[in-house]
């Protein structure tokens, strides 16, 4: 080979090396480009995951609020129904009292007495169907949550704070007192 060819050969080798270096640099840049491309996709994916989590949280909160609303309205309806029953029963209690007084009166007319008894039994049955019960009083220990003491006596025949006499029957609807029993308490 001549000097010229020898000089060209190293130059050509340099060009080939430069081309290889350029190709290597391009190849090295390509993976960087590929890793950069998924970054926006990953970012968008993470953003969508956050949005889904927020929507799921909103849904769960809404479902919980609805469940609380349903329970609260059911409880309110039950309370309104109970109050309506108590008010209605309260309106009939004077009739109950009058029938009770009529039964205590002596009468010669047995048909009249039987009619009053039947009416009283029918009223008791209606109250029972509504869940209205008479508060037990006579012989019970005085309970200020159920009884209204209007008299007090000292009598050895009765125990401490025992109801000796009932002047007016008390009624309750479940745990709610419609009318306190008016009583006389001993000792």
């Amino acid at each position: 080979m001549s000097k010229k060819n020898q000089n060209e050969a190293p130059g050509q080798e340099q060009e080939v090396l430069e081309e290889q270096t350029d190709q290597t640099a391009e190849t090295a840049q390509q993976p960087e480009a590929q890793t950069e491309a998924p970054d926006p996709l990953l970012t968008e994916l993470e953003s969508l995951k956050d949005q889904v989590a927020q929507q799921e949280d909103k849904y769960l909160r809404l479902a919980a609020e609805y469940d609380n609303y349903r329970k609260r309205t059911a409880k309110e309806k039950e309370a309104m129904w109970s109050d309506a029953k108590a008010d209605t029963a309260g309106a009939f209690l004077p009739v109950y009292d009058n029938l009770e007084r009529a039964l205590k009166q002596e009468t010669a007319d047995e048909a009249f007495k039987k009619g009053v008894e039947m009416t009283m039994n029918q009223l008791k049955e209606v109250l029972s169907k509504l869940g209205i019960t008479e508060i037990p009083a006579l012989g019970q220990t005085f309970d200020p949550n159920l009884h209204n003491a209007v008299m007090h006596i000292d009598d050895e025949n009765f125990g401490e704070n025992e109801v000796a006499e009932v002047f007016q029957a008390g009624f309750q609807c479940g745990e709610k007192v419609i009318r306190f029993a008016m009583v006389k308490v001993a000792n």
Side-chain angles (χ1 to χ4, degrees), residues 9-10 22 29 32-33 55 62-63 71 74 79 85 89 100 102 110 126 134 139 142 145 154 159 163 165 170 179:
D22 289 340
Q29 289 176 0
E32 287 177 15
Q55 292 299 326
L62 182 64
K71 288 177 183 176
K85 285 193 308 185
E100 194 172 52
E110 287 300 316
V126 168
E134 189 172 339
F142 175 75
N145 296 319
D154 288 324
V163 174
E165 187 177 346
R179 179 174 79 182

Side-chain angles (χ1 to χ4, degrees), residues 22-94:
D22 289 340
Q23 288 176 352
T24 307
E26 286 176 15
T27 308
Q29 289 176 0
Q30 285 177 354
E32 287 177 15
Q34 287 176 353
T35 56
E36 287 178 13
D39 281 346
L41 291 176
L42 287 175
T43 305
E44 186 177 350
L45 178 65
E46 290 298 319
S47 172
L48 291 174
K49 283 182 180 179
D50 289 343
Q51 288 176 1
V52 167
Q54 289 173 357
Q55 292 299 326
E56 184 179 12
D57 185 53
K58 284 181 184 178
Y59 169 74
L60 292 175
R61 288 179 187 272
L62 182 64
E65 284 179 27
Y66 175 72
D67 191 45
N68 290 340
Y69 167 77
R70 186 181 51 78
K71 288 177 183 176
R72 185 176 59 250
T73 55
K75 192 181 285 185
E76 287 171 357
K77 279 183 4 182
E78 181 63 33
M80 286 185 348
W81 172 245
S82 178
D83 289 346
K85 285 193 308 185
D87 291 345
T88 303
F92 281 102
L93 291 182

Side-chain angles (χ1 to χ4, degrees), residues 22 35 40 58 68 83 95 120 139-140 153 157 170 183 185:
D22 289 340
T35 56
K58 284 181 184 178
N68 290 340
D83 289 346
V95 175
M120 181 63 146
Q140 301 289 318
I153 59 166
N157 297 329
V183 298
V185 180

Side-chain angles (χ1 to χ4, degrees), residues 81-155:
W81 172 245
S82 178
D83 289 346
K85 285 193 308 185
D87 291 345
T88 303
F92 281 102
L93 291 182
V95 175
Y96 180 92
D97 295 337
N98 288 333
L99 288 172
E100 194 172 52
R101 283 187 207 105
L103 287 172
K104 289 180 182 177
Q105 296 299 317
E106 293 295 323
T107 182
D109 190 356
E110 287 300 316
F112 175 75
K113 185 174 182 175
K114 185 169 174 104
V116 172
E117 286 174 354
M118 289 172 60
T119 306
M120 181 63 146
N121 289 336
Q122 192 174 20
L123 181 59
K124 284 182 178 181
E125 186 179 314
V126 168
L127 291 174
S128 175
K129 284 181 181 177
L130 289 173
I132 311 297
T133 57
E134 189 172 339
I135 296 172
L138 190 60
Q140 301 289 318
T141 303
F142 175 75
D143 182 357
N145 296 319
L146 301 174
H147 307 122
N148 180 19
V150 293
M151 289 182 73
H152 182 269
I153 59 166
D154 288 324
D155 191 341

